Amino acid sequence: MIDVPLPTIRHNGPRPFPPRVSRFTRPFWTALEQGFLTAPKCQACGRLRFPPRPLCPACWSEDHVWIVLRPHGRLYSFTRIHVAPRALDGDLPYAIGIVDLDDGVRLLCRLVNQATFADIGREVETVVLQYDDGPLFAARLI
Amino acid sequence: MAAQVVREAATMAGVSRPDIDAVVVAHPGDHTRQGYFHTFLCSSLGIAAKGNVIQVLGNGMTGGHAFDQAVQLIESGRAECVLAVGVHFESGIPTAQHLDYSIRLTGDVDFQSIFGPVPISWYAMDAHRYMFEYDVPRDTTAVVAVKNREHARFNPLAQFRDPLTLDAVLSARPIVEPLGLFEVPARSDGAVALIVSTEARAKLTGQPYARIRGRGFDHEGIHQIADVPTSALDYSALTRAAHRALTTAGTELADISTFQLYAPCTIVEILATEALGLFARGSGAAAAANDATSIGGRYPVNTCGGCLSRGHPPEVSPLYDVVEACSQILGRAERRQVEGARLAMCVSELGKYNAALVHILEAHS
Ligand SMILES: [Zn+2]
């Protein structure tokens, strides 16, 4: 059981490209708002689903419980983007990375650091970016 | 422009308008104002078809699907002479506006697109990981841009034909790090038309023609990246699709004279050559730097200049690749000619090589 919320970094203004919230994904965004990054764990085969999906890609079961993911992971790779869609123009340049969490989940997210090539393979932890209209998840180098 | 290339292709193939009994159009994308472009085009060209009239769409594979569907219409006996056509105009729209749309394609819109991963950013992350995993410096991977420009210099259809130095590639402004301006595709417009027919009809023309000898497809069941930690560099769908194509063709990799690979970025061409088995993992960049993929090398790749220098109108690129493959095996590639080319492989992909479609073409004269 993980009961310590993730570090939160405050951002003024709304999220640049906000996600939709559905009946299924609402628990994810509510938990993130409270500082917890979660994923549905399949009750039939035990597999974690990320990005969260209502049906398990491995066994097609809908049964799941939301579990809190441990914050620790490693940076698989990253890039810094210099040409963006209009919505993200104000963020340029921004870094995104592929993060492999210790729980066996691979995710894509923003990197809050100015990562360099030497940071690939290094340890990261997940954090919450709190905007005026809701949260996003991100990673930072430890 | 589409109508003009169709007329030119029909003339080259010795086909007249009433001969065309099916039309397959590569979906022109969201930039084209005219919707239902396929029926609009048939109307513009006065083509009435009994076989089929369809528009196909499949990410970067769109043009590959157009060609593949034309081939399948012939194979199934539903048509004898099919027009496969692609047209793409995106330069009328600013890049940022174009990305508003494309960012929704190459990611889960609610859990990935929200962070702004533009399509080529996924390849950029492949490039960083490749450099890290195999200890390859960026200048070795960047050589692919120079090599493709050398090829494009002799391609009258190419968008970029001026010489390009490695220094210029390395010092260009960053787009998606570590890739700079010349390591990613420019924005391009273009149109291609192909005539695909039964062999009996091709023989009647008395002209040399290209025969489709093998075909393979594979999709790994992944949208961009796997949801568990695994190698993002193996492009295994291509390995399997190429194996299927070689098996159906009854041939081996060593017998292929030239390769047309869908590769929007330098790193993609490198990883695709490794997935095909042309070079060992981690050695594709060094092989390119040693001219192994140049015209005159052991495995000439993207003799037209590829996406980077020929140009990359995404829906049309795989059709251009068939044009180049035919030029090579029919001995019409002039100063880009691979000596004695008989078999050519064309590869298109979707996602991040999550799928690959492979055709093997053979000269018949
Ligand atoms: Zn399951």
Side-chain angles (χ1 to χ4, degrees):
Chain A
M1 190 62 204
I2 300 165
D3 50 13
V4 183
L6 299 174
T8 292
I9 300 168
R10 177 77 210 149
H11 277 261
N12 290 323
R15 291 168 295 183
F17 197 79
R20 298 166 303 177
V21 178
S22 69
R23 195 168 55 180
F24 171 71
T25 63
R26 187 170 303 282
F28 176 88
W29 296 107
T30 304
L32 192 64
E33 185 98 49
Q34 292 158 4
F36 299 101
L37 182 66
T38 58
K41 183 184 173 98
C42 180
Q43 289 287 75
C45 75
R47 187 182 160 128
L48 288 165
R49 309 172 196 161
F50 205 94
R53 300 189 195 289
L55 218 71
C56 174
C59 75
W60 287 13
S61 169
E62 282 186 71
D63 295 340
H64 66 277
V65 285
W66 289 90
I67 67 134
V68 179
L69 298 169
R70 287 177 288 165
H72 186 265
R74 281 188 188 273
L75 183 62
Y76 181 77
S77 192
F78 83 100
T79 181
R80 195 166 6 257
I81 295 173
H82 296 263
V83 178
R86 289 178 294 192
L88 293 138
D89 194 61
D91 288 5
L92 285 174
Y94 56 86
I96 58 171
I98 295 171
V99 170
D100 290 337
L101 295 181
D102 289 355
D103 282 321
V105 166
R106 170 167 287 181
L107 48 84
L108 178 85
C109 65
R110 279 289 180 89
L111 294 180
V112 299
N113 313 75
Q114 285 300 317
T116 67
F117 178 69
D119 295 320
I120 297 171
R122 288 203 177 151
E123 293 176 89
V124 294
E125 64 176 3
T126 49
V127 297
V128 175
L129 306 180
Q130 191 62 53
Y131 291 80
D132 290 349
D133 66 337
L136 291 178
F137 53 98
R140 72 176 174 198
L141 294 150
I142 299 174
Chain B
M1 191 179 197
Q4 285 160 351
V5 295
V6 168
R7 189 175 57 189
E8 198 180 323
T11 305
M12 281 174 72
V15 162
S16 63
R17 186 173 57 98
D19 295 333
I20 296 169
D21 54 11
V23 178
V24 186
V25 176
H27 191 286
D30 68 320
H31 331 284
T32 299
R33 189 166 174 82
Q34 179 65 56
Y36 291 165
F37 191 80
H38 55 322
T39 47
F40 175 80
L41 186 67
C42 284
S43 168
S44 306
L45 291 163
I47 296 174
K50 67 174 169 59
N52 207 351
V53 172
I54 53 170
Q55 190 155 269
V56 294
L57 176 67
N59 317 17
M61 200 179 275
T62 298
H65 282 315
F67 177 62
D68 195 53
Q69 285 299 312
V71 173
Q72 290 189 38
L73 279 161
I74 300 294
E75 271 186 323
S76 69
R78 292 199 183 102
E80 284 184 30
C81 184
V82 187
L83 170 66
V85 56
V87 57
H88 180 100
F89 277 85
E90 65 170 51
S91 61
I93 291 178
T95 302
Q97 189 182 336
H98 172 61
L99 290 171
D100 289 347
Y101 170 70
S102 57
I103 199 170
R104 289 164 38 213
L105 307 177
T106 54
D108 179 312
V109 288
D110 294 318
F111 290 93
Q112 293 173 336
S113 303
I114 51 176
F115 302 115
V118 298
I120 53 174
S121 68
W122 297 95
Y123 297 127
M125 289 188 279
D126 285 353
H128 259 155
R129 185 70 194 184
Y130 184 84
M131 291 160 57
F132 168 79
E133 224 165 272
Y134 298 110
D135 198 19
V136 175
R138 179 176 161 227
D139 54 1
T140 308
T141 63
V143 162
V144 171
V146 177
K147 182 272 292 181
N148 281 340
R149 182 60 64 89
E150 284 301 305
H151 290 176
R153 287 179 66 191
F154 304 114
N155 181 3
L157 289 175
Q159 186 176 6
F160 302 103
R161 278 173 279 173
D162 294 335
L164 180 67
T165 64
L166 185 58
D167 279 347
V169 176
L170 294 173
S171 59
R173 67 187 170 94
I175 303 296
V176 282
E177 296 176 40
L179 306 176
L181 187 66
F182 296 111
E183 294 157 280
V184 303
R187 301 187 63 216
S188 310
D189 302 328
V192 173
L194 300 173
I195 301 289
V196 184
S197 78
T198 59
E199 188 155 16
R201 179 176 277 278
K203 279 202 172 96
L204 284 178
T205 65
Q207 302 278 333
Y209 58 89
R211 228 173 130 253
I212 293 114
R213 185 154 148 189
R215 188 259 192 199
F217 174 86
D218 191 82
H219 183 246
E220 60 180 345
I222 286 172
H223 189 73
Q224 300 302 127
I225 52 167
D227 55 359
V228 293
T230 176
S231 172
L233 305 179
D234 60 11
Y235 291 15
S236 63
L238 174 55
T239 309
R240 290 184 292 272
H243 178 73
R244 283 173 195 141
L246 289 165
T247 304
T248 54
T251 188
E252 289 171 10
L253 204 55
D255 296 328
I256 307 292
S257 320
T258 173
F259 298 81
Q260 284 296 129
L261 308 182
Y262 188 99
C265 303
T266 45
I267 184 65
V268 184
E269 185 173 308
I270 292 162
L271 291 173
T273 57
E274 294 180 9
L276 280 171
L278 301 181
F279 312 111
R281 298 282 177 191
S283 68
N290 291 325
D291 299 329
T293 56
S294 300
I295 295 166
R298 175 68 189 87
Y299 296 112
V301 173
N302 290 338
T303 50
C304 60
C307 295
L308 294 170
S309 280
R310 173 205 55 212
H312 183 42
E315 278 82 12
V316 176
S317 284
L319 293 167
Y320 268 120
D321 288 338
V322 177
V323 171
E324 178 68 9
C326 291
S327 299
Q328 286 290 346
I329 59 180
L330 298 177
R332 296 169 179 166
E334 299 180 339
R335 292 181 70 185
R336 332 184 285 291
Q337 186 63 49
V338 173
E339 214 176 310
R342 293 290 300 172
L343 286 171
M345 180 182 279
C346 292
V347 175
S348 59
E349 59 123 351
L350 53 80
K352 201 181 74 65
Y353 262 94
N354 305 118
L357 176 61
V358 178
H359 290 98
I360 296 172
L361 280 70
E362 179 183 41
H364 217 273
S365 51

